[in-house]
Structures are given as C-alpha cells and as structure tokens.
Amino acid sequence: KEQTMSHSHHRSVHKWAVDFSEIRRKSRVETPSPPGFSHSWLEEDETADSSDHALLAKQGWSIALGPWKQLPMNLFVLWLAGNSISLFPIMMVGMMFFRPVQSLFSYRQVFDKLKGDQAIMQKLMYILANLIGIALAVYKFNSMGLLPTSPSDWLEFIDVKTNLEVSGGGAFL
C-alpha cells in the first residue's frame, strides 16, 4: 500500500501527467487541451475552403515555375561549358537538352498535380519553360559546331559530278 500511495502522490506532483490506469476504469478520460489549441480550427468554414483553393494555386504555380527557376542556372552552365568540343562540355549541354525533354515526356504526373482555375495557364508556363530550355541547349550545340547547319556538313550525300570532257596536252605516249 505504501508503494501505491507514494506512486499516486508522485503522479499528482507532475502538472501534465495523465494516469492511463484510469482509462480502464472509465470509458473516456477528458484530458485538457494543450496550450494554444483552439477547437475552432477543427470546424470547417468558408475561409478554410478558400484557403485550400489559394494553397492549390500557390502549389501549382510553384510546380509550373520550377523550370523557369532553372533557366538562369542553365545559362550559367552554358557559359561555363564554353565552345570547345570535348567530353565534359558535350555532356553538360547534353544533360541540359535531355532534362527538359524528359520533363515534357513525364507531363502527366506533373499535370495531375496542377488543379484549379489557373491550371491551364500553369501548364502553358511549364511547357514554355521546358521548350526554352531545349532551345538554349540546341543553340549551344549549334555554337559548338555540333549541328549540321552548313552545306559542307552534307558533302557526303552530294553526288560526284561526272566529267563530260577530258583534255590533256603536251605529252605523247
């Protein structure tokens, strides 16, 4: 009995202690709410509904503007790559080309997250930013000389002209 008395006395000393042994005896124990808790937060009202729409729009714009935020870094990487043709600059520009292409191919997962009345504009901004990223990479490939844009790049496919006349002179055989 001394142990139970000292044990119950020990519980009453702590302000926030909850006696779980009473739960078995009672069907429900009323515990005090923590400091700062308000029951009004649990009730649904119109402000929560409008804040959900605002939160969806904010999250959608965050997703849609993600590729736009990468463009300044891509420009810096393009500058770092230089115009020399070696393995690392080609790999850097290649990754700059393939990342937007991959994100355009995986548009369904991204577009599933974009909901609300601003979803169409968010989708257009996402697609436009990725297309600009692809255009920057193509421009860099062209400035490095890796795209076949001059006529001399296609000489292999031009037929050799046949001579209609042959002339020679001065030597007898």
Side-chain angles (χ1 to χ4, degrees):
K1 275 198 163 193
E2 280 185 32
Q3 288 181 348
T4 58
M5 289 178 67
S6 65
H7 191 51
S8 65
H9 177 66
H10 183 67
R11 282 191 192 133
S12 64
V13 172
H14 296 293
K15 185 177 180 180
W16 298 103
V18 177
D19 187 11
F20 290 108
S21 63
E22 294 178 10
I23 293 176
R24 293 182 196 131
R25 288 183 233 143
K26 296 180 182 178
S27 63
R28 185 175 178 178
V29 175
E30 291 293 324
T31 58
S33 298
F37 179 77
S38 174
H39 290 283
S40 65
W41 293 348
L42 298 175
E43 300 170 5
E44 280 191 44
D45 58 328
E46 294 176 12
T47 59
D49 215 18
S50 66
S51 68
D52 285 346
H53 288 299
L55 184 63
L56 278 175
K58 185 177 180 181
Q59 181 185 16
W61 279 112
S62 174
I63 292 170
L65 296 177
W68 286 100
K69 293 175 185 174
Q70 293 175 357
L71 288 178
M73 186 57 153
N74 287 348
L75 287 170
F76 179 68
V77 169
L78 286 177
W79 177 75
L80 282 179
N83 287 336
S84 64
I85 298 177
S86 61
L87 183 63
F88 289 112
I90 291 173
M91 285 176 41
M92 288 168 45
V93 178
M95 288 306 295
M96 284 184 52
F97 178 78
F98 284 113
R99 281 189 194 132
V101 169
Q102 285 175 344
S103 61
L104 285 177
F105 279 129
S106 64
Y107 72 94
R108 290 183 191 228
Q109 290 99 3
V110 175
F111 285 3
D112 287 343
K113 297 175 189 175
L114 300 177
K115 296 177 182 167
D117 54 348
Q118 299 177 358
I120 293 173
M121 191 63 174
Q122 293 168 350
K123 292 174 184 179
L124 287 174
M125 294 300 283
Y126 181 81
I127 291 171
L128 182 64
N130 282 314
L131 290 176
I132 290 173
I134 292 170
L136 285 173
V138 169
Y139 169 75
K140 188 62 177 182
F141 277 134
N142 186 33
S143 68
M144 292 172 77
L146 296 175
L147 295 181
T149 56
S150 66
S152 63
D153 294 327
W154 300 98
L155 288 178
E156 181 178 334
F157 301 108
I158 297 175
D159 292 332
V160 178
K161 294 183 180 180
T162 57
N163 295 331
L164 298 177
E165 290 182 23
V166 177
S167 67
F172 291 112
L173 296 174

